[in-house]
Amino acid sequence: MLGRQGQTVMEVARENGVSIPSLCDSPHLKSFGSCRLCIIEIDGQAGTPSSCTTPAREGMDVNTTSDRLWNLRRGITELYVSEHPLDCLTCTANGDCELQDIAGEVGLRDIRFDNTPDCADVPIDRSNPFFSFDASKCIVCSRCVRACDDIQATHALSIDGRGFFSRIIAGADVPFMASDCVSCGACVDECPVGALEDTVERSFGASDSWVRTTCAFCGVGCQFDAGTKGGKLVTMKPAADSPVNQGHSCVKGRFASAYVHHSDRLKSPMIRDSTDDEFREVSWDEAYSFIAQRLQSTKDQYGPDSIGIITSSRSTNELNYLGSKFMRAVIGTNNVDNCARVCHSATVKGMMTVFGAGAGTNSLEDIDVTDLLLASGCNPIHGHPVTGSRIRRARKRGMGLIVADPKDTEMAKMADIHLQLRPGTNVALYQGMAHVIIRDKLQANDEWMNTRTENLEPFKEMVSEMTPSICEQITTVPAATIEAAARLYASAGAAMSVHGLGMTEHSHGSEGVMALSSLALLTGNVGKPGTGINPLRGQNNVQGSCDMGALPNVLTNYQPVTDTKVRESFQESWGVKLAAEPGLTYPEMIDNSLEGKFHALYMIGSDIAHTDPDNTRVQDGLSKLDLLVVQDIFHCESANYAHVLLPAASFLESDGTYTNGERRVQRIRKAIEAPGQAKQDWIIVSELAEYMGHPIISSNNVSDIWDELASLTPNFRGISYARLESAEAIQWPAPSIDHPGTNVMHKEEFSRGLGNFSAPEFIEPNEQASEDYPFILVTGRNLFHYNSGTQTRRTGLSEFLNTDLLEMHPKDAARLGFSDGDEVMLASPRNKIKMILKLSEDVRIGNLFTTFHFPEVGVNSVLSSSADNLTKCPEYKVQAVAILPA
Ligand code: SF4
């Protein structure tokens, strides 16, 4: 048999297709050697060692099957079964129980001992909405404990007691819901006997159909096998062969996709003449006719630039491409934008300026090899949980960690250095670090500077002003800490950077990303494995929606609309003349609507009436439109201002592709039928175009849409649906069909040629605390919900968190006379809302923190529409507010 250095006999056997029985072993976990079922005989060696702990050696003669081995295994199995319930026919693990399989394999027919499960009197723990734990079925193989430690890295489970009295406990022997368990499901998936049991699977029975697809929550892009039965989703099993999640998932991907079956789903097209009227259900033909007439009359009366589209970072690449094509080719305007505008548009701008490409430079697997991670303005443990676990595992192997965040997050607590900066001072922080690196001559060598970069001298001049003491005055991070962080980053063999919306959602977010990217350039930490600048994308297809040209100034893969050659190639393919001037961003569409200059909006899979700052102003803008078409799976907040509601299919009811935050294009595949008359997004857009007399697809095959856009986009030409059948999918750029895809960008040269040092001047945030509004509010996400909560609030996740809480430092609360759990008024010049106070030493004194998942709380109505000066990405992370008694 073939094996590799360091493998155990069990691993070699598994890879060579030889089955050795085991209960405690799992391909996803480190060897444990407790069940003793995987015993083997080795020629020339006494005894029967366990194969899962025996290293494989060259020339070893191993016997995995003999009468002696099967007798021993039968005896061991008998002991397990003697303490296990014998209710196999009604057990949900029936047919999927490893103990049952092994009992059959060893030929166990009798049990000579008393059959009384040790924990028969321990009540089943049903505290968690997604799974239960029945201690009486547990065989204490410890796979759940090790999954929690080695995969999820939360350490919520342990073994209490010894010998016959040992049992699995959560936390300090509390119900699962009261422990640190984050409900990722890794323990459920490892349990060999159904002691840990998926509650939905329990009620449905085993799935009879499986379809590989991609998670539709965050931008990590985990792959799953969706198990269905009778047209219903039964379970989402994380894919072990995916390089993205390697068989792991978070609570949302694993358990929260059942929203697709919620009774609130939109099932029929609906129209109304005016928002004062009630909606009435109509046929698709009537809905298309209504939209087509209003779009045409708006275009005739006010011109094409009075119309726009907002596509979705939640929907597929194919939809985003077709949405852009619809607006540009059918209506004749570049007023095309998507909801990435309010999250990572500043990343695109900042990285484009420095590297010439606005996409993550490296891959998630680089976290496994890097020496140091600089995590800025992100809390992956909540926002990108599978990546959060990967970081935790890397930390265990000794990876260094610097965290830059105003909040003392879980990630910050486990860091070597926490740069707890004042909100809105990112530019100063990274320039201060660059100052130290240049001063101490820690930058990359001259060859790198001379051959790979430009504008080093103006950069040096700019950062020369940002001494550690000035940086401390601006950021409040002690000068010594800034110096230590700079030295740690610059001296690492390979230093990798990840960042989130704490970098981008600022009045100078783009400049913050430029400063961070320039730091990587300065130290040569780009273009190599384990380095680079890697934005953690919030929604599942933030990367793809922008790649598809659903932006007002670019076509696919950021090809400028102002470039005549680019326009010519699209004009030739689309058969129309295209507008040469960039269109409006969607905040500009709202501004223009308020001024009576913008009249019709087609909104697909976005809910700006809830998610955008100063949302009463956004709602005013929407209510002034002559036509608002909302295409979604639920009646979202924005639907209240719509004239047309179009029922869309969910990701489980659709075909297409998403692109995750590491540029990996991955398939989603239809697993179930959409409810009622709901249709896939791309079908709706293409049918509407046809209704308007301008067909925009050549066939009813979604792969043809990909082929068309790939033919227009040099970096995508090597990607096809056929190639996407591989579990690893492909990371763009892949310029030819024989190109393997790109896991590390900018290896030989940057997309713009030379890396461009950019040192924008530090400018204070637009929002400043004042006497009337003395607190700075920062908003962010919680593990158990997702953006506007439209999906997650319609699942068991509401049992974990059912309202947005306002976090305040206990010293501020004491000064103001507030206690934990008090209802207070959060006030700004825009609005006042009531919120429940949660005291937490994790927030800085003078700061507040909250999430924005619950529209009834209305957090976004308090926020200002202040935005990044270059991209209009809102300044969600710095908001001046006051706290008043409720
Ligand atoms: Fe889905 Fe993101 Fe969770 Fe992965 S980490 S399962 S992509 S929500």
Side-chain angles (χ1 to χ4, degrees), residues 215 217-222 224 249-250 252-254 384-387:
C215 181
F217 286 110
C218 87
V220 176
C222 298
F224 285 87
S249 77
C250 80
K252 293 188 285 287
R254 176 70 174 82
H384 307 82
V386 166
T387 299

Side-chain angles (χ1 to χ4, degrees), residues 101-178:
D101 293 345
I102 287 174
E105 204 175 350
V106 300
L108 184 68
R109 298 291 174 257
D110 299 307
I111 305 168
R112 290 166 292 167
F113 314 111
D114 176 33
N115 174 246
T116 313
D118 268 343
C119 297
D121 54 348
V122 177
I124 298 174
D125 182 346
R126 299 195 194 281
S127 60
N128 190 293
F130 302 122
F131 61 85
S132 60
F133 176 57
D134 182 350
S136 73
K137 289 183 185 168
C138 175
I139 58 168
V140 201
C141 64
S142 152
R143 277 162 66 174
C144 57
V145 177
R146 288 178 286 140
C148 194
D149 293 354
D150 298 349
I151 299 174
Q152 169 56 34
T154 292
H155 308 280
L157 305 179
S158 58
I159 299 178
D160 186 43
R162 304 184 67 125
F164 281 114
F165 305 103
S166 56
R167 65 191 178 93
I168 302 297
I169 58 168
D173 201 3
V174 295
F176 270 75
M177 277 295 267

Side-chain angles (χ1 to χ4, degrees), residues 85-370:
L86 297 179
D87 58 351
C88 295
L89 287 183
T90 53
C91 177
T92 46
N94 188 11
D96 188 25
C97 172
E98 295 176 31
L99 182 58
Q100 194 180 48
D101 293 345
I102 287 174
E105 204 175 350
V106 300
L108 184 68
R109 298 291 174 257
D110 299 307
I111 305 168
R112 290 166 292 167
F113 314 111
D114 176 33
N115 174 246
T116 313
D118 268 343
C119 297
D121 54 348
V122 177
I124 298 174
D125 182 346
R126 299 195 194 281
S127 60
N128 190 293
F130 302 122
F131 61 85
S132 60
F133 176 57
D134 182 350
S136 73
K137 289 183 185 168
C138 175
I139 58 168
V140 201
C141 64
S142 152
R143 277 162 66 174
C144 57
V145 177
R146 288 178 286 140
C148 194
D149 293 354
D150 298 349
I151 299 174
Q152 169 56 34
T154 292
H155 308 280
L157 305 179
S158 58
I159 299 178
D160 186 43
R162 304 184 67 125
F164 281 114
F165 305 103
S166 56
R167 65 191 178 93
I168 302 297
I169 58 168
D173 201 3
V174 295
F176 270 75
M177 277 295 267
S179 73
D180 288 340
C181 167
V182 290
S183 304
C184 69
C187 56
V188 180
D189 293 336
E190 282 299 334
C191 181
V193 292
L196 281 154
E197 179 180 75
D198 182 322
T199 313
V200 179
E201 266 184 308
R202 178 184 171 79
S203 53
F204 275 92
S207 308
D208 58 16
S209 173
W210 294 92
V211 173
R212 175 62 59 91
T213 193
T214 307
C215 181
F217 286 110
C218 87
V220 176
C222 298
Q223 292 265 288
F224 285 87
D225 290 315
T228 63
K229 187 175 198 172
K232 295 272 185 207
L233 176 69
V234 176
T235 190
M236 295 284 281
K237 290 275 191 258
D241 56 353
S242 160
V244 175
N245 53 314
Q246 303 160 307
H248 189 35
S249 77
C250 80
V251 61
K252 293 188 285 287
R254 176 70 174 82
F255 294 115
S257 295
Y259 68 83
V260 299
H261 295 307
H262 198 279
S263 57
D264 289 351
R265 283 289 301 273
L266 293 176
K267 298 184 187 73
S268 311
M270 289 186 268
I271 63 172
R272 58 183 174 183
D273 292 327
S274 136
T275 50
D276 295 330
D277 301 333
E278 294 293 316
F279 277 114
R280 63 178 199 281
E281 288 186 11
V282 293
S283 66
W284 277 105
D285 277 342
E286 204 176 336
Y288 290 145
S289 169
F290 183 93
I291 299 168
Q293 279 172 20
R294 284 216 180 176
L295 285 177
Q296 194 57 53
S297 64
T298 305
K299 185 174 168 181
D300 292 345
Q301 195 173 352
Y302 303 108
D305 291 336
S306 67
I307 301 171
I309 192 167
I310 306 173
T311 64
S312 179
S313 299
R314 280 161 49 197
S315 195
T316 59
N317 288 325
E318 290 73 10
L319 171 276
N320 280 284
Y321 172 76
L322 277 194
S324 155
K325 185 174 180 181
F326 176 85
M327 204 43 56
R328 290 179 156 119
V330 180
I331 304 296
T333 175
N334 282 319
N335 290 342
V336 179
D337 210 355
N338 81 86
C339 46
R341 174 68 47 204
V342 296
C343 61
H344 270 294
S345 54
T347 289
V348 175
K349 178 71 183 172
M351 292 181 68
M352 190 72 88
T353 305
V354 178
F355 304 133
T361 59
N362 288 56
S363 304
L364 291 168
E365 64 193 8
D366 287 25
I367 294 170
D368 305 342
V369 298
T370 190

Side-chain angles (χ1 to χ4, degrees), residues 676-732:
Q677 299 178 54
K679 295 187 184 191
Q680 298 187 41
D681 281 324
W682 66 271
I683 293 176
I684 301 173
V685 176
S686 58
E687 287 181 349
L688 178 60
E690 197 160 339
Y691 225 92
M692 295 192 70
H694 191 128
I696 53 173
I697 55 170
S698 55
S699 78
N700 281 331
N701 194 342
V702 70
S703 66
D704 289 341
I705 304 172
W706 177 271
D707 289 345
E708 177 183 312
L709 72 91
S711 74
L712 291 163
T713 317
N715 279 337
F716 301 159
R717 282 198 186 127
I719 304 177
S720 67
Y721 271 42
R723 292 192 76 190
L724 294 179
E725 288 304 310
S726 133
E728 301 209 340
I730 301 173
Q731 290 168 275
W732 66 260

